[in-house]
Amino acid sequence: EDKVVQSPLSLVVHEGDTVTLNCSYEVTNFRSLLWYKQEKKAPTFLFMLTSSGIEKKSGRLSSILDKKELSSILNITATQTGDSAIYLCAGVPVQGGSEKLVFGKGTKLTVNP
Amino acid sequence: DSGVTQTPKHLITATGQRVTLRCSPRSGDLSVYWYQQSLDQGLQFLIQYYNGEERAKGNILERFSAQQFPDLHSELNLSSLELGDSALYFCASSVEGNTDTQYFGPGTRLTVL
C-alpha cells in the first residue's frame, strides 16, 4: 500500500528561524512528489519534484528530492508568522491514467513573533 | 483563489440522510478529483473523473458515489450518512488526467449529527 510519512508532526519556532520539514514515501511506480501549504482551507500548491537532487526554490522556500532515500525536504528560511500552516507532502504513483495523490498527515508549523 | 469552486461551504445534516456536494473545476480542466479530510485520517483520495468518465477509485465507501457531467462539473453523493462521515470534502482539478499539479477548491465542511 502506498504510504507517505511526514515528520515532525508539529513544530513551533520563532520568527527568523530556519526550519526543515521531512517527507518519506513508499509509492508504487513513483512519478513525482508534491508539497502543499494548507492554512485555513484548501491546500495551495508549492512545489512538484520529479528529479533527484534538483532543488526547487520560491522565495524563502526550497525543496529537494532524494530518490535513493525515497525522501524529500522542505526548507523555509527566515520564517514569518504568515508561514504558520500545515505543510502537506504527497506522492504520485503511476497507475494507468490516474494521478491520485497519496498524502502524508502533514506537519503543523507555528511561527511565533 | 484556485479557480475551483465548491458548494455548499458548510452542510449540517443527520445520520441516515443523503447529501450532494458540487464542484466546478477550473476553466479548461478536464479532470476532477474528490478527497476527504478528517482529523485522524488526513487527506484521503476518493475518486477521479476525467472528461465524464471515472478514471480511478480510492478509499471510497459504497455509500458514496460521484459523477462528472458534460459541462465538467462534478457531484459527490453521500448517502446513509454516519457520524464518521463528518469531514472536509475537497474537490481538485487538473488540465488532464496525467498532470500532477492539482488545484484544490475551498472545500465543503460536512457535519453529521
Side-chain angles (χ1 to χ4, degrees), chain A residues 1 31-32 34 36 38 40-45 48 50 86 88 92 95-105, chain B residues 9-10 33 35 37 40-43 45 48 55-58 88 90 97-107:
Chain A
E1 186 182 330
R31 177 187 174 100
S32 61
L34 283 76
Y36 283 84
Q38 186 174 24
K40 297 209 172 141
K41 274 285 185 92
T44 53
F45 173 77
M48 180 176 77
T50 55
I86 296 173
L88 296 164
V92 183
Q95 292 176 351
S98 169
E99 297 295 326
K100 72 173 189 178
L101 302 179
V102 179
F103 281 92
K105 295 205 172 172
Chain B
K9 288 184 181 176
H10 302 278
Y33 311 76
Y35 293 87
Q37 187 175 38
D40 54 341
Q41 292 292 323
L43 260 172
F45 168 72
Q48 178 202 0
R55 180 162 277 192
K57 251 182 175 174
L88 255 177
F90 286 107
N98 293 322
T99 57
D100 300 337
T101 304
Q102 297 177 16
Y103 294 90
F104 281 74

